[in-house]
Amino acid sequence: MNLIPAPRRIERNGGSGPFGGDVRTGVDPAVGPEAYRLVVSSGGAEIVGGDDAGVFWGRQTLRQLTGPDAFRRAPIERGPVTVPYVTIEDRPRFAWRGFMLDVARHFLPKDDVLRYVDLLAAHKLNVLHLHLTDDQGWRIEIRRYPRLTEIGAWRKRTRMGWGEPVLWDERPHGGFYTQDDLREIVAYAAERHVTVVPEIDLPGHSQAAIAAYPELGNTDVVDTAALEVMTDWGINRNVLAPTDAVLRFYEGVLEEVLAIFPGQFVHIGGDECSKEQWRGSPTAQARIRELGLRDEDGLQAWMIRHFDRWLAARGRRLIGWDEILEGGLAEGAAVMCWRWYRGGIAAAEAGHSVVMCPQQEVYLDHVQAHGPEEPVPFGWVHTLEDVYRFEPVPPRLAGTPHAANIIGAQANLWTEVVENRSRVDYQAFPRLVAFAEAVWSELPDPDERDFDDFERRMNTAHYARLDALGVGYRPPGGPRPWQQRPGVPGRMHGKPRRTWRMAD
Ligand code: TNX
């Protein structure tokens, strides 16, 4: 059977027969969260889920059993569908099975986001993390601060690729989601048991906000009124000022965010905050002294802790990139570990929930094969097989009580070199399929995993499902001519990347 992600237990009841679409469903909490039992027989299909999500995942499995055409948007006339008679018992390994889309570097229209919700659901992935703000664009309507999108959602031009020669796409770029668009995305996702996690990145990655409201920046060291929405890539010096006015401003932003996104977690970024301006800013230095902090890192930690408490007081939980660990975190806050495994291990050992998304393993903006024909090659090479062998629980935590703090994992797709839906498809697929199996299925240790079997299931069924879905994946033989970007430079990282054994 060619199911992906592989279910925990399959029993063949012998034979197969036509399927007329008869599905009976029920919920029995004893089955467990997100778990299901699917029985297919000559009498039709029966799905008992531990909850509504379990029933829904059971339906996704049944859909795969009925063949690739089930993934088209409407039935095509091809005669009766034959299904194997089976009993399947299945449940996810992790509660957080996520995918991050960076809609800040390149805006992705609402319709494309909704389509990704469908693609995640078909693979039993259940978290869509939207990276909504960055130096290069602010993508969420905030009614009390209209300039965030009037100014912050648009940039004059865009750096093409990330290396030499320096090339520009001279067309202005931008876009944003209205609050109603986002409510629609949240509701559409909820119908498919996908939670949308919004990210408002602070105090770094904030130049688009500063371009809109110059008083948010370090006005005593730079002329922030002259700043524009950033047009190229990399870690940026222009960060938020550590003032009360800035805290109040972002509380205002987050109040509107909370009203749109009902989920437990709110992501406040916290990554890659340059300390250069704070070192030179009399205002920042006075703040450090006044708060009795050691240095600029303490200042960043103080800002993060402020929002940690602010969110907790409103019944939500903060999640942020692993830099937020550096100043000590309140109970309840969660960490997204992107720099190797170290931060995730420390956070899990300190009792925090951790989502593993190491860039050395599951960054889908990174290139997926060697070779000159790969479009705008960036990062390390993560092949389909590498992603299939991704293990969220590092060896040092395996078998310890801290392992339970690894609540899941996430594949991240940054979009500096990924400018539209077809490039997103190319980077995400097929690797997101391997990721889905790594976070749903109970797989052995990385080196023991049967990648040949996974590849067989891809070749005999899953590429046909992706074709039916209209996904512009990277074919196993390499990019099609129109998927290449000759002449647009990338930026490859140097070090080798197989890391899971080096995790601690
Ligand atoms: C690091 S991951 C970043 C992003 C970049 C990405 C490129 C993280 C928290 N920060 O801002 O887009 O690398 O791979």
Side-chain angles (χ1 to χ4, degrees), residues 102 105 131 134 162 205 271-272 321 323 338 359 363 365-366 378 412 414-416 493:
D102 170 11
R105 269 54 176 272
H131 181 74
D134 214 302
W162 197 339
H205 289 284
D271 57 315
E272 297 180 327
W321 302 109
E323 284 93 332
W338 72 280
Q359 59 169 341
Y363 266 31
D365 53 326
H366 291 197
F378 179 82
N412 294 339
W414 301 96
T415 58
E416 291 97 332
H493 296 352

